[in-house]
Amino acid sequence: MSSRMAGATLLRHLGPRLFAAAEPASGLAASARGIMPAAARIFPARMASTEAAAPHAKQEDDAGTPQAAATPEQQSKKAVVSYWGIEPRKLVKEDGTEWPWFCFRPWDTYRPDTSIDVTKHHEPKALADKVAYFVVRSLRVPRDLFFQRRHASHALLLETVAAVPPMVGGVLLHLRSLRRFEHSGGWIRALMEEAENERMHLMTFMEVTQPRWWERALVLAAQGVFFNAYFVGYLISPKFAHRFVGYLEEEAVESYTEYLKDLEAGLIENTPAPAIAIDYWRLPADARLKDVVTAVRADEAHHRDANHYASDIHYQGMTLNQTPAPLGYH
């Protein structure tokens, strides 16, 4: 009896919303027009459109009185860019101008630590280290044949691949922390920050060059293969996976060093730095492409050290709570 009374009460409250009368229609069209408005009334914020109303549409106030159509200026103010229907708060730069980026915020910016040693190399000793080093070095042959001296295009492909390992590692450590009911010691955040940093490298070089269709196809294939291979590899041996990424970052440092040499030699035009790079790395307003490549190389050197350190502490009596090495940014 109690369940029947509860059901009757629930139907009395939700009935008008679920079964509100719609305009006369028949068949599938009638059910579609009836269900969608009812669902929108139950979940108004989730199903509301994120676009402004049509210019010719008339609005009504709370009393139901028709109002004049909104002007384009009013529509732009009412337009919501967030998927969840929440308009983000306006941010400004230090000079008072509006913050133009949604992919990162002012508190995500930093000045790169360019004092780091970019010539450091981790000498492979164990068999797993030698295998990881050999695999990474063997990838140089197809890379040199495909890209040759097109450094910007190579940077695009490199960053689409380099952003995968820290995301995979962060997700797997996140799941491990959950199922073991233990802290991560900061490693999850460190790896996620590394993945985001690599993605920002990609966003920056997208302002320098645009990938051709076959390069996009190569990225699609490489990411599909590499993500799954690294996922399995990390499950089998995180130590080997981090060592592999450490050597991959060493190759990235060498690639950006070659990029800088060609910029200094005048083989590549030292164009003004993209605006996104100036804001992200807090570069001077008159920064050039050389300054951007120098900042990216410093980031990759920090990623190199962090991943070699992560490999060193695995299976040496250390736990997941071992503090990660400083990344040199944020």
Side-chain angles (χ1 to χ4, degrees), residues 114-188:
T114 56
S115 63
I116 189 171
D117 184 6
V118 296
T119 62
K120 186 188 299 184
H121 168 61
H122 186 283
E123 193 66 31
K125 297 179 181 179
L127 177 61
D129 296 349
K130 294 179 181 180
V131 171
Y133 182 68
F134 173 78
V135 171
V136 172
R137 295 294 290 184
S138 64
L139 295 176
R140 296 193 61 173
V141 177
R143 181 203 71 183
D144 293 340
L145 291 175
F146 187 83
F147 292 105
Q148 298 181 3
R149 310 303 293 181
R150 294 187 298 116
H151 296 291
S153 297
H154 174 227
L156 284 179
L157 178 64
L158 176 65
E159 300 302 343
T160 60
V161 173
V164 171
M167 180 60 68
V168 171
V171 169
L172 290 177
L173 287 181
H174 174 73
L175 296 176
R176 176 181 175 180
S177 176
L178 294 179
R179 68 175 178 267
R180 292 192 177 187
F181 302 94
E182 63 183 11
H183 292 284
S184 69
W187 275 106
I188 297 174

Side-chain angles (χ1 to χ4, degrees), residues 213-282:
W213 70 266
W214 62 82
E215 291 172 340
R216 291 180 180 272
L218 180 61
V219 167
L220 183 64
Q223 189 181 82
V225 172
F226 183 61
F227 176 89
N228 291 283
Y230 190 80
F231 182 87
V232 174
Y234 202 97
L235 288 174
I236 296 174
S237 174
K239 180 180 179 65
F240 174 83
H242 281 292
R243 186 70 73 202
F244 174 84
V245 177
Y247 287 129
L248 190 67
E249 297 293 356
E250 288 186 12
E251 286 295 316
V253 171
E254 291 185 18
S255 297
Y256 286 117
T257 299
E258 294 296 321
Y259 198 166
L260 286 172
K261 289 180 180 179
D262 285 356
L263 283 168
E264 293 170 353
L267 300 178
I268 300 175
E269 183 181 1
N270 191 20
T271 58
I276 189 173
I278 292 176
D279 287 340
Y280 183 66
W281 283 288
R282 302 180 188 173

